[in-house]
Amino acid sequence: ATAPAMPDGWVRAAVAIYAVLGAVSWLGCALAGVDPWRLGPVSPAGRASAVGLAALAGLAVGAASIVVTQALARRTLWGRALLSELGNALTGVSPAAIPWLAASAAFGEELFFRAALQRALAHGLGVPAGLALGSLLFGLAHVPANRRLLPWTLMAGVMGGAFGALYLATGELLAPVIAHALVNLVTLRFILDRAGTVSDPAPPAA
């Protein structure tokens, strides 16, 4: 199977921005003398098993996150409003564009927020503070224009904490990258499939 054709328009711009973010973060790690893909040294003999376990952990955390986020999207007023707003934003986007968005956002954001930012904060403030502050900043990076959707910011902060903890637990950036990409992929497809069928809900009757 061949890779989907690169879409035009804002999707191309978004992918380029995430690529630049990831490249700058990678360069920053290189200048600091650290490997963004792993937190500590791993023997060649243990490398394959470490990567395999990280991949499995990423899939597990990603799947659990999808269950929670889709439940919130279906069962809360703000979640349904968020589906409507994001569905409008994705109007006209081809399904072939979704993997590009999902993967580029996961790589770019994880390289920046976990490999570069969280690692630097942990070095200066300690691991718990680095995890907490990195998660907070990740949430603040997802503040929506519509203030009614601020719970999304809180949810993003919690997700940032989960991805950061996954990085610490496995020592491999691959784990949060896989979890993040899986959440992005399934959520974006879910939103695109429902676009045009979800309306901004009215407050429930008393």
Side-chain angles (χ1 to χ4, degrees), residues 18-184:
Y18 284 125
V20 170
L21 178 65
V24 170
S25 303
W26 197 324
L27 177 61
C29 289
L31 292 175
V34 298
D35 183 350
W37 290 102
R38 61 188 64 90
L39 282 173
V42 179
S43 66
R47 182 65 185 154
S49 60
V51 169
L53 289 173
L56 289 175
L59 289 171
V61 170
S65 300
I66 289 166
V67 171
V68 173
T69 55
Q70 290 199 1
L72 290 172
R74 289 189 176 103
R75 298 177 185 177
T76 65
L77 187 65
W78 69 266
R80 293 193 296 274
L82 179 63
L83 279 182
S84 178
E85 190 153 313
L86 293 180
N88 291 335
L90 291 175
T91 299
V93 173
S94 166
I98 298 303
W100 290 99
L101 280 172
S104 62
F107 275 100
E109 291 187 347
E110 291 308 309
L111 278 166
F112 177 73
F113 284 101
R114 251 58 70 182
L117 182 62
Q118 178 179 310
R119 194 168 191 162
L121 291 170
H123 179 73
L125 303 174
V127 172
L131 175 60
L133 188 53
S135 303
L136 174 63
L137 293 173
F138 184 75
L140 292 176
H142 293 78
V143 174
N146 186 341
R147 299 303 179 186
R148 291 187 306 146
L149 303 180
L150 281 176
W152 182 40
T153 301
L154 176 60
M155 184 174 71
V158 172
M159 295 293 294
F163 296 153
L166 192 56
Y167 186 35
L168 294 172
T170 63
E172 299 282 343
L173 189 67
L174 179 65
V177 166
I178 287 177
H180 196 158
L182 182 61
V183 170
N184 285 352

